[in-house]
Amino acid sequence: MPKTYNNLWSNLVSFENLYAAYHVARSGHREHMEVHKFEKNLEENLINIQNHLIWHSWTPDPFLEFVVHEPKERRIQAPTFRDRVVHHAYYQIVGPLFEKKFISHTYACIPGRGPLKAAEKAHEYIKSFPKGKRVYVIYGDMKGYFPSIDHAYLKEQTRRTIKDPDVLWLGDTLIDANGQRTGLGIGALPSQLYAGVNLDPFDHYMKDDLGVKRYIRYMDDWVVISDDKQYLERILVLAKDFLTGNPKLVINPKTRIIPITHGLDYCGYRIFRDYLLPRKRNLMLSSFPNQLLEEYVANKGWTMQKIEMRMSVNAKSENRKATKTEVLVGNYGLCANQPDLFLQLDNDIYPTNKHE
């Protein structure tokens, strides 16, 4: 039986946890009008959230919905600041409990990991083969991953870790925020966490049941690297059977086995045996020649998707143009949970001006 956790609710709804969640939620957003309005009656607003959580009468606000088109069309559902406080309060208590069960080679939206770490691990695997050896990779992907996440299956997975009935109520409320039986909104912190929880059984199936050695997953993009193409063909059949049966996901038709002849395109990098390079189309540096920015953004492997998500969430909700920092930093702070890095980047680049 999996280990489950109970007696979490009092810590989750404590004023201290909500106040800490408010601080995290406002990081990088302190000059936003929505934050100012919340802070005018800060204690009252936090107590109001606390009471509605205790009474089980809290419900999510309507999302701000819009569409981004780079690198591909996605519908974004951005939560209000009030809801982001609840999201962080929830994540601060349950996030580490889920994440401690994740395998070490899943990299999306986990503090200390991220796309660069995933690319580096893939690079390590490729280098483990003798030079000149023909190496292949399964490049796996789910079609419309966030919109196709099955709520019933996801709730089953949360109950393999959480036993506290009050926390489960809140978790179910967050899962069902779109009023449908499937789909999670891209743009909310719980969605990032649940996306990992939903595929955690697949990770353990690949590593523990099948014994796959060179397996990596970043969100719904996963790879298996080997010099045995027939072995990869068998693994791909088993992986497809698992994904279409249990999480009820649809495999992207582009999922395939390819030779790593001219490098592996993964997590915003082009990975070769002797080096890896950021993909040019995923960097937004041409208008910003500052050397610090170039090095910082390249090292973090930020993508157009993340950049446009942050730009759209912050700017569109307030009917204004995005700051340079918003455009460049993207959604990194949300996933990596490192607001101090975001603020330090602002101070390094714009030492004489205030920015979000």
Side-chain angles (χ1 to χ4, degrees):
M1 291 291 292
K3 182 176 182 180
T4 56
Y5 297 88
N6 204 348
N7 303 315
L8 305 171
W9 186 242
S10 59
N11 288 333
L12 197 156
V13 299
S14 69
F15 188 86
E16 293 76 12
N17 187 51
L18 291 170
Y19 186 69
Y22 146 73
H23 272 282
V24 177
R26 77 169 185 172
S27 295
H29 306 271
R30 295 188 65 176
E31 294 186 9
H32 293 186
M33 185 61 66
E34 188 182 14
V35 178
H36 282 309
K37 289 181 180 179
F38 191 91
E39 290 177 328
K40 283 183 179 179
N41 298 290
L42 177 60
E43 185 175 359
E44 179 183 339
N45 285 328
L46 291 177
I47 291 175
N48 184 51
I49 291 173
Q50 182 184 46
N51 286 335
H52 280 292
L53 289 173
I54 292 172
W55 301 333
H56 285 204
S57 57
W58 179 84
T59 56
D61 294 327
F63 291 117
L64 170 66
E65 295 195 23
F66 51 92
V67 176
V68 297
H69 299 279
E70 294 290 342
K72 59 184 179 182
E73 184 172 304
R74 295 176 186 270
R75 180 170 295 278
I76 306 299
Q77 285 123 2
T80 62
F81 181 76
R82 166 187 173 271
D83 284 1
R84 294 208 307 271
V85 172
V86 176
H87 294 173
H88 282 283
Y90 177 79
Y91 175 81
Q92 287 169 173
I93 300 301
V94 307
L97 303 181
F98 286 116
E99 289 165 358
K100 71 195 303 183
K101 293 186 173 184
F102 291 171
I103 66 169
S104 59
H105 294 161
T106 180
Y107 289 91
C109 301
I110 301 174
R113 303 190 194 179
L116 178 56
K117 295 289 186 182
E120 289 175 338
K121 178 56 68 173
H123 186 214
E124 176 188 320
Y125 284 159
I126 293 172
K127 287 176 63 178
S128 69
F129 295 97
K131 197 165 187 177
K133 184 77 171 178
R134 192 168 180 83
V135 180
Y136 301 87
V137 60
I138 300 175
Y139 191 93
D141 182 24
M142 264 55 95
K143 183 178 180 181
Y145 178 53
F146 279 86
S148 63
I149 291 176
D150 183 79
H151 290 189
Y153 177 80
L154 178 56
K155 290 175 184 178
E156 289 177 10
Q157 300 314 308
T158 63
R159 283 153 175 78
R160 294 176 62 83
T161 298
I162 305 300
K163 190 177 180 180
D164 188 310
D166 295 306
V167 177
L168 288 173
W169 163 78
L170 179 56
D172 290 351
T173 301
L174 295 172
I175 292 171
D176 293 333
N178 66 354
Q180 308 294 323
R181 294 182 179 180
T182 60
L184 297 179
I186 302 175
L189 179 60
S191 298
Q192 308 294 329
L193 174 64
Y194 286 145
V197 172
N198 194 59
L199 283 176
D200 183 55
F202 176 63
D203 292 338
H204 286 281
Y205 174 70
M206 297 290 280
K207 295 295 292 183
D208 302 338
D209 296 348
L210 301 184
V212 177
K213 292 182 179 180
R214 298 178 181 88
Y215 167 81
I216 304 168
R217 182 175 64 81
Y218 185 87
M219 199 57 73
D220 61 318
D221 294 328
W222 53 277
V223 295
V224 180
I225 300 169
S226 175
D227 61 350
D228 187 339
K229 187 177 181 181
Q230 291 183 338
Y231 167 76
L232 292 181
E233 289 171 350
R234 293 193 299 270
I235 293 297
L236 181 55
V237 170
L238 294 170
K240 286 182 176 180
D241 288 344
F242 185 96
L243 290 169
T244 55
N246 293 312
K248 301 178 183 177
L249 297 172
V250 178
I251 303 296
N252 193 318
K254 295 181 180 179
T255 296
R256 63 204 185 278
I257 299 171
I258 56 175
I260 308 176
T261 306
H262 302 291
L264 170 63
D265 196 356
Y266 189 57
C267 285
Y269 287 84
R270 195 73 178 174
I271 306 167
F272 301 86
R273 189 188 187 282
D274 297 321
Y275 57 91
L276 66 161
L277 296 171
R279 290 186 306 205
K280 290 183 180 180
R281 68 176 180 270
N282 284 350
L283 294 177
M284 203 170 181
L285 300 175
S286 58
S287 301
F288 305 92
N290 185 292
Q291 184 177 359
L292 172 64
L293 272 177
E294 293 182 3
E295 293 175 356
Y296 197 93
V297 175
N299 285 338
K300 295 306 173 186
W302 291 330
T303 66
M304 284 293 293
Q305 175 192 343
K306 292 181 179 180
I307 289 167
E308 185 161 348
M309 187 182 294
R310 169 61 65 85
M311 179 178 65
S312 300
V313 169
N314 289 355
K316 187 166 183 175
S317 64
E318 299 175 5
N319 193 26
R320 60 173 176 78
K321 291 183 66 176
T323 66
K324 288 184 179 181
T325 305
E326 285 175 324
V327 173
L328 285 160
V329 170
N331 199 35
Y332 179 77
L334 173 65
C335 285
N337 201 20
Q338 296 184 27
D340 290 342
L341 275 179
F342 181 91
L343 297 176
Q344 185 59 47
L345 180 61
D346 246 354
N347 293 333
D348 289 342
I349 299 164
Y350 307 108
T352 60
N353 298 305
K354 281 189 175 182
H355 291 267
E356 285 88 335

